[in-house]
Amino acid sequence: MGSVLPLVAQAQDVPAAAESGLQEVVVTGSRISRENFEAPTPLTVLGVEQINQAAPENLADFVNDLPSMVGSATPQTSNLSFSNGQAGINALNLRALGTVRTLVLLDGKRSVPSAITGIVDINDLPQSLVERVEVVTGGASAAYGSDAMTGVVNFILDKDFTGLKSEVSGGRTDYGDDDNWKVTLTGGLPFADGRGHLLLNGEYTHRDGIYGVPRSWNNDGRYIMNNPAYTPTSGLPERLVVSNASLTTATLGGIITNTALRGRTFGEGGTPRQFQYGSSVRDPWMQGGEWASNQFNQYNTLDQEVDRTGLFARVSFSITDNFGVFAQASRNESETLSWQLRQFNLANLVIRAGNPFIPASVATDMANAGITQFTLGTMNGDIPIISFTGEREVTRYMAGFEGSFDLFGSEWNWDAYYQLGTTESSETGHNITAKARYAAALDTVVNPANGQPICRSTLTAPDNGCLPYNPMGINVNTPEAIAWLIGSPHRDQRFTQEVVAATLRGEPFDSWAGPVSIAMGVERREEKVRGESDATSMINGWFAGNYLPTFGSYHVAEAFLETVVPLAKDLPFARSLDLNAAVRRTDYSTSGLVTTWKAGATWQPIDDLRFRVTRSRDIRAPNLNELFAAGTANTNSVTDPFNGNQNAPYQGLAVGNPLLQPEKADTLGFGVVMQPRFLEGFTASVDYYDVKITDAIGNVAAQNIVDNCFAGMQEFCNAITRGVGAGGVNQITQIRLSPFNLVGLKARGIDYEMSYVFGIDQLFSSLSGSMRFSVLATNYLENYQDNGVNPPADSVGSNSGLNGLGTSGPPDWVYRATLAYSGDRIAASLTGRGFSAGTYSNTYIECSTGCPVSTADNPTINDNSLPGAFYVDASVSYKMNWAATDVETFFSVTNLTNKDPAMVPQGPAGLAYAQAPINASLYDILGRVYRVGVRMKM
């Protein structure tokens, strides 16, 4: 990947100045339009040259390599997100504080959300038109409103592009899979003697995806299990990180989990045999035995299959020299396909004596032992793998006016626009059993009329259509029986965003140190959602994917004012000293009035040195999902301390909370920028940030709800529904998850940036071209949440991805360094990127002997370490001219050394058995990836 330039070098990436003078630009993080304005908020600029040199398949891959980005949503991390409709989305996450707290803009304006949570899928942007990406790592709510708590990522288009350009590129992994390709075509045409400009763009991308997990690192059965030898007085760790482990409570063809027949498992054709348990067993896990043949994490998708088509059009026309109109339209369609998992029934099916599918030898043993029923666990080998299809159509229409006029002896600029955006989202699950049909088909008896298997319910309702299902064996059911069981839960939803906004910018008067700049504006925005689902989902009738439609809306009216006041200029103690302040008043229909503000300053005592400081109050209003979710259901499992810490499958029901209040963040940032005159081309910066969020919106995790109920907190017990399970055991069946305003989140850290650009002739006098060496690093000092119930948990250094926010730690250190060469024809780059070693969870206590008593808040474990990682990427390109066309061929390799991801075991609860033991948001999981392509421009 190409280098990243800090704020002080941004002039190399912004559009070139017009011949008549310097061009005024609005820098992200501020609404001020001013020559050479340097905002006090840190800004990282990614220019088109660096983007092209990196040759990413998707712009999100490029931006996510910034050390300030941790835990972003990608198709590789969202594979099991099929119940919430976010599978396949690329959403950015600054500071590892959640994608909902990072605001994504397109040309400084909001884009329509791609999901009900309000996040924007980077796939929905016209990526080949992006001229630069500006990343503000600091609160910017006073400038842009809600969601800009941790920062802003602004994708800025080349709206003046003239000519025709295209790209054809493709890639694949070193293993010969995950083939992908991209085709883009862009045209820009001035008309009416240059007063008008037409811009058209089309893009198509395809990724084959990787079905299954065809990598050798997934073959050692790495999980976390409860220690069979643990007691509160044993001095041993309660949890063990182990290899060569597998489930004991389910096999592909089914296994008996109780009575004297425990361990009888069923194979091809229903043939029974004795399962070989390992030397260490604590249901639902064991270590050893026939672990290798009882793995189920290969039935999901390592990388999702994605198709994306995008169309974009923009036209602008200057009616006079001071008044113009513009209109813009875009349409993006995407389809995501993936495997999810097999239907799991972990020791929760009751098989009664007399079921005609019980093999004769087992039926004889039951009769001899007086066993009337047994409990079965199965992965339902005859039922196809549960899969998912997600379709998303995002349209965005915008029209507006812009112009300028003279007032107070200076020029003022204004713009106003209306924007309508819609997202049509469709989610469909496949091969999912209807719970009522599954239960009826499972309850099979002998038909007294002919001695054949028949559903018990059919004896009293002959026309119910039930076909018996045999859970004991592989290839023992007819296609007709399976077809009667399964169906496709489906939901269609429509998200709508309407925006009307106007902005005025100018310099009304001069101070003793220069012109005072102001920007002011108003905005009204409305967000709403509606949808529909299939009838079975509406009654929670599917094993998984019980989609419920959400209905709701809110509107917000805002007004803002921002100013830059120069306080000193060309003085002995200050080459410049500027004050930047902003305030925004916002009225939400759901939660009332809030005020956000920012105060910052930049001080340049000498040309070589500049200091900056910012203090801000930022907010994030609850989104449509947090307010109005009707109840998105997911299927998972928890450890149930009421039943001897047994693994308990349950259905989680996430519902909205209309009483939520906005989050509030107090952010402090200060830093220094160095650009020494004695070392031309060198720039460095160091910035400290401190973010304190109160009333943060979040959930208590399902396992924590169960643990707190066990500890006697009745309010958590009220969220748990229990029912009679297999063998008459009272077990958890449903856990309700509702967001509330947490006590707080806090994040602190230090960002480092360095860039040095120099002519290669300084090293080799016979060569031409330039070299660029850049380093970026973030030292995360603190990142914790306090929900007022559990002890505050600092997640910095937790590399597993289980920090309670659904994202990675972040690590203590994240860094990248790039050495790049750019010549007339040849360009090349070499990048090293990585992060520091850490823990599985900072709440764990690592010990092997002499362990303290393990608790729900601080469990003991035998190994709490996870390694860091270091990856190398390389790229090379060659430019030439052919038939009046500029042609550039390029080749890039990521993860040049083909480094495997670290194993990040899951368990003992949850869906550990259905997931590869990795953290895809931190570690590279695909291996070495090659990409080749050609760009043409005329």
Side-chain angles (χ1 to χ4, degrees):
M1 182 183 292
S3 71
V4 181
L5 302 183
L7 170 63
V8 292
Q10 70 184 29
Q12 299 180 32
D13 286 309
V14 298
E19 292 182 4
S20 59
L22 289 173
Q23 182 181 22
E24 293 187 351
V25 295
V26 179
V27 176
T28 304
S30 170
R31 295 297 187 99
I32 296 295
S33 175
R34 184 184 178 103
E35 294 177 2
N36 299 324
F37 172 53
E38 294 168 341
T41 309
L43 174 70
T44 299
V45 180
L46 311 175
V48 66
E49 180 182 349
Q50 288 76 38
I51 296 171
N52 287 341
Q53 195 169 55
E57 178 199 354
N58 189 292
L59 261 179
D61 300 333
F62 180 76
V63 179
N64 276 327
D65 269 349
L66 292 176
S68 56
M69 297 281 181
V70 175
S72 297
T74 70
Q76 297 163 20
T77 64
S78 61
N79 187 53
L80 292 180
S81 299
F82 74 107
S83 288
N84 63 18
Q86 295 184 32
I89 281 180
N90 272 301
L92 304 176
N93 187 355
L94 277 165
R95 307 298 189 205
L97 285 174
T99 54
V100 295
R101 298 183 178 93
T102 299
L103 181 61
V104 174
L105 303 175
L106 181 63
D107 278 330
K109 299 176 177 62
R110 288 178 180 266
S111 185
V112 58
S114 304
I116 192 173
T117 58
I119 60 177
V120 174
D121 186 1
I122 306 307
N123 293 327
D124 296 335
L125 308 181
Q127 299 190 17
S128 59
L129 262 176
V130 171
E131 182 180 49
R132 66 185 188 275
V133 182
E134 296 183 348
V135 181
V136 173
T137 51
S141 292
Y144 298 108
S146 180
D147 303 334
M149 296 196 84
T150 57
V152 174
V153 183
N154 189 9
F155 293 84
I156 298 173
L157 304 183
D158 183 3
K159 295 185 290 294
D160 296 322
F161 173 77
T162 299
L164 186 67
K165 65 177 180 178
S166 63
E167 177 183 327
V168 178
S169 59
R172 67 167 39 182
T173 74
D174 198 59
Y175 302 92
D177 55 19
D178 211 18
D179 287 2
N180 59 86
W181 58 86
K182 176 169 69 174
V183 179
T184 72
L185 181 63
T186 302
L189 176 69
F191 62 90
D193 295 326
R195 286 189 172 274
H197 197 85
L198 175 66
L199 196 61
L200 299 173
N201 168 258
E203 301 180 7
Y204 174 74
T205 64
H206 170 81
R207 175 181 285 271
D208 280 354
I210 302 175
Y211 289 86
V213 189
R215 299 292 188 268
S216 60
W217 46 257
N218 191 43
N219 297 335
D220 69 346
R222 187 78 62 91
Y223 301 99
I224 295 177
M225 64 179 287
N226 285 322
N227 187 352
Y230 170 79
T231 68
T233 59
S234 65
L236 298 175
E238 181 185 19
R239 296 181 181 176
L240 302 175
V241 177
V242 294
S243 297
N244 301 344
S246 74
L247 283 175
T248 59
T249 53
T251 62
L252 192 61
I255 185 172
I256 299 175
T257 61
N258 68 349
T259 75
L261 301 177
R262 173 180 165 86
R264 203 73 63 90
T265 187
F266 305 92
E268 189 72 27
T271 303
R273 64 175 179 83
Q274 185 61 36
F275 185 76
Q276 298 302 308
Y277 289 99
S279 58
S280 180
V281 179
R282 175 75 180 274
D283 286 344
W285 298 102
M286 72 175 188
Q287 184 181 24
E290 56 179 280
W291 68 271
S293 62
N294 208 39
Q295 300 297 312
F296 302 106
N297 63 11
Q298 71 272 31
Y299 297 114
N300 59 21
T301 300
L302 189 63
D303 199 10
Q304 298 180 66
E305 180 179 349
V306 179
D307 274 284
R308 180 176 67 86
T309 303
L311 297 173
F312 176 88
R314 187 180 194 276
V315 61
S316 59
F317 187 78
S318 297
I319 297 174
T320 70
D321 292 341
N322 298 315
F323 179 73
V325 297
F326 62 89
Q328 188 169 297
S330 63
R331 178 189 180 95
N332 287 271
E333 297 179 358
S334 63
E335 182 180 28
T336 302
L337 301 95
S338 61
W339 286 354
Q340 299 295 309
L341 72 174
R342 284 199 172 275
Q343 175 167 328
F344 54 91
N345 292 95
L346 307 185
N348 65 349
L349 302 182
V350 175
I351 306 299
R352 297 184 177 93
N355 186 311
F357 291 131
I358 299 175
S361 61
V362 177
T364 299
D365 291 342
M366 291 180 69
N368 292 338
I371 297 172
T372 60
Q373 65 180 36
F374 59 77
T375 301
L376 186 81
T378 179
M379 284 292 175
N380 297 280
D382 280 3
I383 296 177
I385 298 169
I386 294 174
S387 60
F388 169 81
T389 301
E391 297 178 343
R392 192 175 298 109
E393 180 184 295
V394 180
T395 57
R396 182 173 182 255
Y397 305 99
M398 182 172 60
F401 307 92
E402 55 190 0
S404 62
F405 58 88
D406 291 331
L407 184 67
F408 303 125
S410 63
E411 184 178 72
W412 290 67
N413 297 294
W414 63 273
D415 64 80
Y417 71 95
Y418 168 77
Q419 175 179 293
L420 172 64
T422 61
T423 296
E424 304 278 357
S425 176
S426 171
E427 300 103 35
T428 306
H430 305 281
N431 305 324
I432 299 177
T433 60
K435 289 188 287 189
R437 290 193 173 195
Y438 186 82
L442 195 67
D443 188 11
T444 301
V445 297
V446 176
N447 188 339
N450 56 21
Q452 297 299 309
I454 189 173
C455 300
R456 188 187 304 271
S457 61
T458 305
L459 295 176
T460 55
D463 297 326
N464 68 356
C466 180
L467 297 178
Y469 172 67
N470 182 3
M472 292 168 284
I474 302 171
N475 292 323
V476 293
N477 290 282
T478 65
E480 293 78 12
I482 299 301
W484 189 79
L485 289 177
I486 62 177
S488 298
H490 178 84
R491 174 175 62 190
D492 293 319
Q493 292 197 114
R494 179 184 177 93
F495 318 121
T496 304
Q497 180 190 79
E498 286 189 88
V499 180
V500 178
T503 304
L504 176 66
R505 294 178 291 269
E507 297 176 348
F509 58 88
D510 288 359
S511 73
W512 56 89
V516 173
S517 301
I518 66 169
M520 64 184 74
V522 293
E523 179 177 314
R524 189 185 189 280
R525 176 166 49 94
E526 183 175 4
E527 310 255 0
K528 54 187 175 182
V529 58
R530 61 178 175 85
E532 59 182 12
S533 299
D534 66 281
T536 305
S537 288
M538 296 298 290
I539 60 172
N540 194 25
W542 298 105
F543 170 79
N546 289 284
Y547 303 118
L548 295 180
T550 294
F551 297 87
S553 66
Y554 68 85
H555 60 264
V556 54
E558 305 179 89
F560 73 90
L561 174 66
E562 182 179 6
T563 185
V564 173
V565 180
L567 301 178
K569 186 175 179 63
D570 296 331
L571 298 177
F573 65 91
R575 297 291 296 166
S576 66
L577 175 62
D578 293 337
L579 172 68
N580 180 209
V583 63
R584 176 179 289 255
R585 187 67 167 165
T586 305
D587 185 9
Y588 286 96
S589 61
T590 52
S591 52
L593 290 166
V594 292
T595 300
T596 54
W597 52 267
K598 175 186 73 171
T602 58
W603 173 43
Q604 191 166 4
I606 58 176
D607 289 338
D608 314 66
L609 200 63
R610 186 173 79 255
F611 297 92
R612 56 193 178 195
V613 62
T614 305
R615 176 75 167 82
S616 66
R617 162 61 65 92
D618 302 286
I619 60 105
R620 183 182 78 85
N623 57 51
L624 291 170
N625 185 63
E626 292 163 334
L627 289 168
F628 306 115
T632 299
N634 67 82
T635 304
N636 209 316
S637 63
V638 292
T639 297
D640 187 0
F642 291 93
N643 286 323
N645 284 329
Q646 291 297 308
N647 192 273
Y650 74 94
Q651 185 180 74
L653 190 65
V655 297
N657 180 359
L659 301 179
L660 289 172
Q661 296 298 306
E663 300 177 339
K664 295 179 284 292
D666 292 313
T667 302
L668 172 66
F670 56 84
V672 59
V673 181
M674 295 157 283
Q675 196 169 16
R677 284 167 289 182
F678 62 84
L679 188 59
E680 184 179 355
F682 178 86
T683 299
S685 65
V686 180
D687 287 279
Y688 170 84
Y689 68 89
D690 185 324
V691 183
K692 296 183 179 70
I693 303 175
T694 57
D695 293 328
I697 299 169
N699 297 82
V700 175
Q703 186 65 62
N704 288 339
I705 290 175
V706 175
D707 292 340
N708 289 329
C709 174
F710 186 69
M713 302 180 191
Q714 183 59 41
E715 62 270 30
F716 290 95
C717 299
N718 294 337
I720 300 173
T721 300
R722 289 183 174 271
V724 178
V729 176
N730 182 272
Q731 69 178 28
I732 296 171
T733 58
Q734 187 181 83
I735 300 176
R736 290 177 298 282
L737 308 170
S738 182
F740 64 98
N741 290 103
L742 299 169
V743 173
L745 300 173
K746 185 176 181 180
R748 295 188 302 115
I750 304 174
D751 293 323
Y752 302 87
E753 294 195 22
M754 186 276 289
S755 176
Y756 182 36
V757 181
F758 59 94
I760 197 173
D761 56 0
Q762 297 180 30
L763 301 177
F764 306 99
S765 58
S766 59
L767 298 180
S768 61
S770 64
M771 297 291 296
R772 182 177 59 251
F773 178 60
S774 66
V775 177
L776 291 93
T778 296
N779 180 199
Y780 291 92
L781 302 175
E782 191 174 29
N783 195 302
Y784 85 89
Q785 72 170 0
D786 180 0
N787 60 19
V789 178
N790 304 105
D794 186 359
S795 64
V796 168
S798 173
N799 290 0
S800 68
L802 298 180
N803 71 343
L805 296 172
T807 61
S808 294
D812 291 289
W813 284 90
V814 184
Y815 55 87
R816 60 173 289 111
T818 298
L819 180 64
Y821 165 75
S822 180
D824 293 335
R825 291 187 176 274
I826 297 175
S829 69
L830 187 68
T831 296
R833 54 186 170 88
F835 54 90
S836 58
T839 66
Y840 178 81
S841 171
N842 292 341
T843 62
Y844 279 142
I845 299 173
E846 181 177 333
C847 58
S848 55
T849 59
C851 298
V853 175
S854 186
T855 66
D857 291 325
N858 297 110
T860 53
I861 195 168
N862 65 324
D863 184 1
N864 191 30
S865 61
L866 286 174
F870 179 74
Y871 303 102
V872 178
D873 305 330
S875 70
V876 62
S877 65
Y878 181 77
K879 298 177 182 178
M880 56 185 173
N881 187 273
W882 176 74
T885 301
D886 293 328
V887 179
E888 180 183 18
T889 58
F890 59 88
F891 175 70
S892 67
V893 183
T894 57
N895 193 358
L896 189 64
T897 60
N898 200 28
K899 186 179 181 66
D900 288 341
M903 294 297 92
V904 183
Q906 307 288 323
L911 297 177
Y913 48 83
Q915 305 176 71
I918 50 176
N919 178 5
S921 66
L922 271 186
Y923 297 94
D924 187 310
I925 67 172
L926 298 181
R928 185 185 296 120
V929 177
Y930 307 96
R931 188 161 191 82
V932 63
V934 58
R935 300 185 188 97
M936 292 177 285
K937 181 179 178 182
M938 62 181 69

